[in-house]
Amino acid sequence: MKGEVPAVPADGLTTRQRRNRPLLIVHTGDGKGKSTAAFGLALRGWNQGWSIGVFQFVKSAKWRIGEQTALETLAEVHTSTGAGGPVEWHKMGSGWSWSRRTGSDDDHAATAAEGWAEIKRRLAAETHTLYVLDEFTYPIAWGWVDVDDVVATLAERPGHQHVIITGRRADPRIIEIADLVTEMTKINHPFDQGQKGQRGIEW
Amino acid sequence: MKGEVPAVPADGLTTRQRRNRPLLIVHTGDGKGKSTAAFGLALRGWNQGWSIGVFQFVKSAKWRIGEQTALETLAEVHTSTGAGGPVEWHKMGSGWSWSRRTGSDDDHAATAAEGWAEIKRRLAAETHTLYVLDEFTYPIAWGWVDVDDVVATLAERPGHQHVIITGRRADPRIIEIADLVTEMTKINHPFDQGQKGQRGIEW
């Protein structure tokens, strides 16, 4: 199945041009695995030597998930040996690291908007090759970040920058411009049987 | 939503016992992210210091995907600094590393059965804390591995061993005993627009 191409579009691009097109990827739906699969893609990107930027908008905002430690360990390997690529990991919950706001700031809407403004700057500067905008659907759904601005910025981003957006209820306007959208659906879940999350699995 | 528990079952277990129950997780469906999310969970497990065993049954069988390099790099960090946990990565396509068979062996059914036999031995010996059985649904669907044996072995596995099975068309008998099943569904895919896979995204 790999490599099967159902239809060749009349977009005037060569296969190589299409193959190397930067992708907008969305992981949405109510099931598990949206963020985890995004961090798995970051592993691949690290292995390609890409600069990875992770921006966590909501979940695990004040605490550190296992993927952060693992990817930051890989970033240290990159620094010391040159293998792989650099990784930056930014969290809204503890206050964006570049921000002058304090961690105790409770104006989540302003903090989310500030996160998006920084991502826009980085996209314009072509800072990273892969951006993980984790749980970015929520500040959009809540009106903290303007969806039209997101759509225009992503559609017109320069160079070769891949962007992954995760979260439930992705806005249809973002789905519309995405190259790859996967919906994760819950079929069966231990929470249904009274089991809470556990270390190593949920974080 | 995190920590919300809809119903407490009358299974005689304490919350702590349920919380620490070893999980059987299935990632299925026709969409992307099944394997990638499993390798993302391996990142979390590594961070917990778990012993991770990855067994790739089909895809990328003769070549190395980015996650393998990244997780093996983390395994080296574990060896040299003690951080995280050990990782073993085994591929059917190049011949299982523990096997006496040669890489040119074309008897895929026998090789798959041999992979499952080794996993059974490891489950009995409690070798790993997390097993990723990548694309394991296919040898089951093709009758190379007996599904009743898989179900019985997983249902009765000793100790605290988590198992993740990935692949399309997971057998209903495996779904039935799984603790967490996520279906990845394709909504929109660049293959539909004549784009083939690209480095860093597809592998």
Side-chain angles (χ1 to χ4, degrees):
Chain A
M1 286 158 288
K2 191 172 283 289
E4 251 181 42
V5 175
V8 174
D11 55 9
L13 297 176
T14 65
T15 296
R16 183 183 179 85
Q17 284 169 327
R18 270 193 303 272
R19 177 183 290 232
N20 288 319
R21 191 177 59 185
L23 298 178
L24 173 61
I25 298 173
V26 176
H27 294 171
T28 192
D30 290 342
K32 313 289 288 182
K34 296 185 288 293
S35 300
T36 309
F39 299 135
L41 282 171
L43 274 190
R44 290 190 192 168
W46 175 85
N47 183 55
Q48 294 296 332
W50 292 355
S51 169
I52 312 283
V54 177
F55 303 84
Q56 285 192 288
F57 274 84
V58 177
K59 192 168 64 177
S60 318
K62 299 207 178 201
W63 39 299
R64 163 180 288 263
I65 60 175
E67 291 95 323
Q68 181 179 355
T69 301
L71 279 162
E72 288 182 345
T73 299
L74 290 172
E76 287 166 21
V77 169
H78 171 70
T79 302
S80 57
T81 72
V87 182
E88 286 188 32
W89 192 293
H90 300 287
K91 287 183 288 201
M92 173 174 150
S94 51
W96 300 112
S97 54
W98 65 78
S99 170
R100 289 182 199 155
R101 291 165 177 274
T102 66
S104 61
D105 191 335
D106 282 335
D107 188 346
H108 298 309
T111 309
E114 191 181 33
W116 169 241
E118 173 69 14
I119 291 161
K120 280 182 73 171
R121 283 190 292 270
R122 293 182 182 217
L123 285 167
E126 301 184 36
T127 305
H128 303 293
T129 307
L130 175 64
Y131 298 73
V132 179
L133 311 188
D134 189 40
E135 312 243 23
F136 189 47
T137 57
Y138 303 106
I140 292 172
W142 298 328
W144 295 352
V145 172
D146 178 40
V147 65
D148 292 325
D149 184 34
V150 171
V151 167
T153 302
L154 292 178
E156 294 158 15
R157 69 192 189 280
H160 192 74
Q161 304 180 91
H162 302 292
V163 178
I164 309 175
I165 294 174
T166 80
R168 299 181 186 204
R169 292 176 293 283
D171 192 284
R173 286 162 287 184
I174 291 176
I175 300 282
E176 177 67 28
I177 62 160
D179 301 288
L180 195 161
V181 179
T182 302
E183 182 173 22
M184 278 71 169
T185 308
K186 180 178 79 171
I187 294 187
N188 186 6
H189 195 287
F191 284 6
D192 301 337
Q193 297 160 33
Q195 182 172 22
K196 291 189 177 184
Q198 59 179 283
R199 185 183 302 270
I201 297 293
E202 296 289 336
W203 67 86
Chain B
M1 287 159 286
K2 192 172 282 289
E4 249 182 41
V5 176
V8 175
D11 56 10
L13 297 176
T14 65
T15 296
R16 184 181 178 84
Q17 284 170 326
R18 272 193 301 272
R19 176 181 291 232
N20 288 319
R21 191 178 57 184
L23 299 178
L24 173 61
I25 298 172
V26 176
H27 293 171
T28 192
D30 291 341
K32 311 289 291 181
K34 297 184 290 292
S35 299
T36 310
F39 299 135
L41 282 171
L43 274 190
R44 292 192 189 166
W46 176 85
N47 184 55
Q48 293 297 333
W50 292 355
S51 170
I52 313 282
V54 177
F55 302 84
Q56 284 192 290
F57 273 84
V58 177
K59 193 170 64 180
S60 317
K62 297 204 178 199
W63 39 300
R64 163 180 288 262
I65 61 175
E67 292 95 321
Q68 180 179 357
T69 302
L71 279 162
E72 289 182 344
T73 300
L74 290 171
E76 287 166 20
V77 170
H78 171 71
T79 302
S80 57
T81 73
V87 182
E88 287 187 33
W89 193 293
H90 300 287
K91 287 183 288 202
M92 173 174 150
S94 51
W96 301 111
S97 54
W98 65 78
S99 170
R100 290 184 196 153
R101 289 165 178 275
T102 67
S104 60
D105 191 336
D106 282 335
D107 187 347
H108 298 309
T111 309
E114 190 181 35
W116 169 241
E118 174 69 14
I119 291 161
K120 279 183 73 171
R121 282 190 292 270
R122 292 182 183 217
L123 286 167
E126 301 183 38
T127 305
H128 303 293
T129 307
L130 175 64
Y131 298 72
V132 179
L133 311 189
D134 188 40
E135 312 244 25
F136 190 46
T137 57
Y138 303 107
I140 292 172
W142 298 329
W144 296 350
V145 172
D146 178 41
V147 66
D148 292 324
D149 184 34
V150 172
V151 167
T153 301
L154 293 178
E156 294 158 15
R157 68 192 189 280
H160 193 73
Q161 303 180 91
H162 301 292
V163 178
I164 310 174
I165 294 174
T166 79
R168 299 182 185 202
R169 293 177 292 284
D171 192 285
R173 286 162 284 184
I174 291 176
I175 300 283
E176 176 67 28
I177 63 161
D179 300 288
L180 195 161
V181 180
T182 302
E183 181 172 21
M184 278 71 167
T185 309
K186 180 178 78 171
I187 294 186
N188 186 5
H189 194 286
F191 284 6
D192 301 337
Q193 296 160 34
Q195 182 172 23
K196 291 190 178 185
Q198 61 179 282
R199 185 182 300 272
I201 296 293
E202 296 288 337
W203 67 86

